[in-house]
Amino acid sequence: MDRETFLGHLNRGLAGIERWESGWQAFAPDETLHVDPVRIDEVLDRLAERLTDNFPYFHPRYAGQMLKPPHPVAMLAYTMTMRINPNNHALDGGAATSYMEREVVARLAAMFGFEEPNLGHLTASGTIANLEALWIARGIHPDKAIAFSDQAHYTHGRVCEMLRVKPVVLATDADGRIDLAGLEAALATGEIGTVVATLGTTGMGALDPLDDIVRLAHAAGARVHVDAAYGGFFALLATGDAPLVNADRFGAIASADSIVVDPHKHGLQPYGCGAVLFRDPAVGTFYQHDSPYTYFTSDELHLGEISFECSRAGASAAALWATLECLPLERDRGFGPVLSRTRQAALAWADLIRASNRLRLVTEPELDIMTFFALPSRTDAPRASEISSLTATLFDRTMNDPDDPLYLATFTVNQRQLETVYPEIIWDQSTVSVLRSVVMKPEQLSVISEIHGTILRHLEEYGG
Ligand SMILES: *Cc1c(COP(=O)(O)O)cnc(C)c1O
C-alpha cells in the first residue's frame, strides 16, 4: 500500500478515535511531555537512517528467514488502537479489545476444527504460548515426561528445564518427521505424559505425522500438544478436493489437546502476537487455584485469569481482528489464496531444483520452506565438507550480488538426513550445511524462477 493511501486510511481511523476522545472535556498535554517538532523530525530522520541496517524483509528477493512486514490493515488497526493503548489483561483495562481477542481466538479455534466450548487466548509469542501449553500439560501429568522431536523448536527443551519436567527427545526420519517406531517405544515405557508434534518444523517445514501421533499417544493416555507456530494457518489448505498440503496431518489437529499458532508468523501480524488454544476448557482451572470459575466459558471471564502473562497489547487483538475482517480464514478467499501462493512457490521451486543437475533437495517441501544444496561441478562423489563450503559460498555470493542481491539462509543437517537422498556423499564430517529458504511472501510465486536462476548463475560463475 503506498504511503498516501495508508495515510488516508490512518487519518480516517484516527479521526474516529478523536471523535470518541472529544466526548470528554478537553485538556492540554502536560508541558513536560512537549518535544519540539523540529527535534521529532530530526530524530525520525535518524531513525529512518538507522533502520537501513536491516535486510529487505519486505522484498521478494529476501527469501531467508521467517520474516516479512505485517499487512497494512494490521498496521492501521494497531496504530489506531495504540493511541488508546488498552491492556488485554483485564476487562477494565481493555473491554473492546478483550472481546476482539475472544472473537479472533474463536476463529483460530474454528480453523482447527476445535468444537465449542474451548479455551484460548493470544500471547506475546509462540515461545510463551508453548510455555503455557506445557505448563498445563505438566499440571495434568505432574510426574511424567514431555516428548518432542530432535527437529522441534529449541523452546521445548528450555521450557522443560524451566518447568523441571523430564524431556524425552524423539528421533526423526530423513524428512525431519517424528519416527513412529521411536515414539511407540517411548510411549511403551509409560513415562510420557505429553507428546509435542510440530506442524511445520522451524528448520525444514516438516509436518510430523499427527494422525498417527494422536492415535498412539491417546491410546497410551498421553496428551498431544501441537506446535503449529509456523505452519498452523496452512490448515486452510488441507481441505477440499485437491489439498495443497498433507490433509492427514492437519485432519487430526482437531483431536489435539492444545495447539500453538503464531499470527506474527503467517498471520500477517506485527511481532507480539502468538496464540495458545486448548480443546478442553476445563484446563482453565490450572491457571488459578482459587478461581471461582470451575468451568471456563463465562462470558465475563477476564483474559488475565486464563493467561500466564499479565499486561498484553490490546492493539495486537485489534490488529488481528481487523485483518481477519478483511481477509477471512477461508480456503478460497482471504488467507487461503495468500498461503496457496507461498505453497505454490515452494512446489514450483522444488520442480526447478529437481530438474537441475547442480542442485538437490534435502527433502520435498511440505509447506513453503525449502532446504537444498549445491553439488560441485565435477561428477565424482562430493565430500560433506565440499557441499558445506559451496553452501557458504552461495549464501555469501547471492547476498552480495551488487546488481540484484538475493537473501537465503543456511541450515545444518546430519548424515542420517542426507544419506537417503544422496548416498554418494563422502562423510568427512558428521554434518552438512545446506541452503534454506522461506518463501512466505505471495509475491515470491511470480519470481521463483528468477530466484532459482540467480543461484544457478552464481554457481556457474563461481565454478566450484
Ligand atoms: C517460531 C517458532 C516458535 C517460537 O515462536 P516465537 O513466536 O518466535 O517465540 C516455536 N515453535 C515453532 C515451530 C516455531 O516455528
Side-chain angles (χ1 to χ4, degrees):
M1 192 181 287
D2 67 71
R3 182 157 48 92
E4 287 302 313
T5 313
F6 184 83
L7 289 177
H9 290 304
L10 187 58
N11 210 10
R12 186 186 177 91
L14 288 177
I17 305 277
E18 273 173 15
R19 274 196 299 281
W20 172 74
E21 287 177 347
S22 67
W24 284 267
Q25 204 168 58
F27 68 98
D30 192 81
E31 59 187 19
T32 54
L33 297 170
H34 178 76
V35 179
D36 181 356
V38 174
R39 177 67 180 158
I40 297 178
D41 280 346
E42 270 171 22
V43 170
L44 294 185
D45 287 350
R46 270 171 51 212
L47 175 61
E49 178 55 33
R50 291 194 69 159
L51 288 174
T52 62
D53 185 13
N54 270 306
F55 293 120
Y57 310 120
F58 67 97
H59 200 276
R61 301 279 291 186
Y62 180 84
Q65 310 285 357
M66 297 167 170
L67 283 156
K68 65 175 179 180
H71 195 279
V73 168
M75 295 194 240
L76 289 164
Y78 199 103
T79 311
M80 276 174 68
T81 311
M82 194 169 48
R83 169 127 169 194
I84 299 171
N85 205 23
N87 185 337
N88 274 21
H89 174 63
L91 286 173
D92 52 2
T97 46
S98 293
Y99 294 129
M100 285 179 218
E101 177 163 339
R102 272 194 212 138
E103 283 176 50
V104 298
V105 166
R107 287 186 213 181
L108 293 173
M111 173 172 77
F112 295 123
F114 267 11
E115 278 169 24
E116 298 276 351
N118 50 63
L119 188 83
H121 60 88
L122 299 179
T123 62
S125 69
T127 301
I128 297 290
N130 276 301
L131 170 66
E132 280 198 41
L134 296 184
W135 176 40
I136 298 297
R138 189 197 62 177
I140 290 170
H141 293 299
D143 303 316
K144 297 212 164 174
I146 294 177
F148 49 88
S149 89
D150 57 16
Q151 294 291 307
H153 196 277
Y154 64 80
T155 194
H156 298 289
R158 282 194 184 171
V159 166
C160 283
E161 263 180 49
M162 290 175 67
L163 296 175
R164 296 173 182 267
V165 172
K166 182 182 171 189
V168 171
V169 178
L170 302 168
T172 49
D173 63 17
D175 293 315
R177 308 177 198 128
I178 287 181
D179 173 64
L180 290 173
L183 173 65
E184 275 192 276
L187 287 169
T189 64
E191 69 164 358
I192 311 287
T194 301
V195 179
V196 177
T198 306
L199 287 185
T201 57
T202 317
M204 297 162 87
L207 303 175
D208 279 332
L210 187 62
D211 37 2
D212 294 315
I213 292 171
V214 166
R215 181 174 50 77
L216 294 170
H218 282 176
R223 285 173 73 78
V224 176
H225 169 63
V226 177
D227 183 359
Y230 185 76
F233 288 94
F234 284 94
L236 295 171
L237 302 187
T239 56
D241 292 338
L244 269 179
V245 301
N246 190 323
D248 292 338
R249 306 299 183 241
F250 284 93
I253 202 169
S255 309
D257 297 285
S258 51
I259 306 173
V260 161
V261 60
D262 261 355
H264 70 202
K265 279 194 180 141
H266 248 307
L268 303 170
Q269 299 306 298
Y271 285 118
C273 194
V276 62
L277 309 166
F278 296 95
R279 186 161 50 86
D280 180 1
V283 302
T285 50
F286 285 95
Y287 281 92
Q288 210 176 41
H289 296 298
D290 55 355
S291 168
Y293 304 96
T294 49
Y295 200 57
F296 279 77
T297 53
S298 162
D299 273 351
E300 291 308 308
L301 186 67
H302 293 237
L303 289 160
E305 291 172 276
I306 50 153
S307 165
F308 174 75
E309 292 168 87
C310 296
S311 299
R312 287 186 303 108
S316 286
L320 183 55
W321 176 84
T323 306
L324 297 186
E325 285 292 303
C326 295
L327 296 168
L329 291 175
E330 290 175 26
R331 195 194 62 165
D332 298 322
R333 61 185 193 118
F335 264 78
V338 176
L339 291 160
S340 68
R341 293 244 197 310
T342 75
R343 175 68 183 136
Q344 278 163 351
L347 289 170
W349 197 357
D351 284 344
L352 293 169
I353 291 174
R354 252 184 266 105
S356 90
N357 51 10
R358 293 290 305 276
L359 297 175
R360 289 277 185 283
L361 287 168
V362 175
T363 178
E364 293 292 327
E366 293 199 89
L367 298 177
D368 54 5
I369 301 177
M370 313 291 300
T371 44
F372 58 100
F373 56 96
L375 296 169
S377 53
R378 28 170 267 281
T379 49
D380 53 328
R383 289 189 301 278
S385 57
E386 281 178 291
I387 293 177
S388 295
S389 80
L390 264 180
T391 294
T393 303
L394 283 173
F395 173 76
D396 222 59
R397 284 184 66 113
T398 51
M399 181 163 63
N400 293 308
D401 184 327
D403 302 322
D404 206 359
L406 169 69
Y407 301 86
L408 302 167
T410 63
F411 182 63
T412 303
V413 294
N414 58 33
Q415 181 167 351
R416 186 174 42 78
Q417 285 169 288
L418 218 51
E419 64 191 0
T420 41
V421 276
Y422 203 64
E424 296 89 336
I425 297 181
I426 298 164
W427 289 92
D428 61 341
Q429 54 187 45
S430 59
T431 59
V432 175
S433 169
V434 298
L435 289 162
R436 170 172 170 272
S437 175
V438 181
V439 281
M440 69 188 304
K441 290 181 283 265
E443 295 85 0
Q444 285 168 323
L445 176 57
S446 58
V447 298
I448 210 71
S449 57
E450 282 134 60
I451 288 177
H452 179 74
T454 299
I455 297 169
L456 287 184
R457 176 169 58 79
H458 279 284
L459 198 50
E460 265 153 39
E461 282 172 14
Y462 170 68

